Amino acid sequence: RRLPVDSENALATVRPDGTIVIALWNYAEPADAGAPKTFHIQLKENASLNYRVQFVDPDHGSALKAWKEAGSPVSPTLKQVEEMKNASELPPAQEHSNSDAITLQPRGLAVLEIRPRP
């Protein structure tokens, strides 16, 4: 079920088990350098005091940078494909306090998971 949010750069849902999942993004056009964007999460009292977050941006979970560094090949070699595949692996989720702000670089995406209190 979708939840209301106070941002045009966020989408929040709640799973049947009460876990809240929030996607935050900092969109920038490819030709635009963009600027970092900071988000502050405000939750009701039934949410956990911590959240788990994973990031996807040019340096985390994205093959785009590796593809560009390889010269943007139309037909990448098997080695280049393997390097891009490795670059696209998501790092493990990080645990944060709900009071921690989240800053996203341009073209960044964060997915937060907030479990209900037991």
Side-chain angles (χ1 to χ4, degrees):
R1 174 173 55 95
R2 192 165 174 178
L3 300 173
V5 294
D6 241 357
S7 173
E8 63 183 21
N9 300 99
L11 175 74
T13 62
V14 62
R15 295 179 180 153
D17 70 356
T19 300
I20 298 169
V21 180
I22 302 172
L24 306 170
W25 59 88
N26 184 3
Y27 177 77
E29 292 285 340
D32 183 8
K37 186 177 292 242
T38 300
F39 297 86
H40 299 274
I41 307 300
Q42 296 177 339
L43 300 169
K44 295 186 178 187
E45 59 280 348
N46 66 334
S48 169
L49 298 177
N50 297 313
Y51 63 84
R52 293 171 43 103
V53 63
Q54 285 188 292
F55 294 95
V56 177
D57 58 33
D59 295 318
H60 304 94
S62 173
L64 183 60
K65 185 175 181 181
W67 178 72
K68 287 181 179 179
E69 287 174 352
S72 307
V74 174
S75 299
T77 66
L78 289 176
K79 181 180 178 192
Q80 289 170 326
V81 169
E82 189 64 30
E83 289 170 353
M84 288 183 261
K85 182 179 171 185
N86 291 339
S88 68
E89 290 182 19
L90 287 174
Q94 302 170 358
E95 191 85 16
H96 287 270
S97 167
N98 280 345
S99 61
D100 292 348
I102 298 169
T103 300
L104 292 177
Q105 297 304 314
R107 290 171 281 289
L109 167 74
V111 177
L112 288 71
E113 188 175 87
I114 306 157
R115 298 196 184 279
R117 288 186 184 175

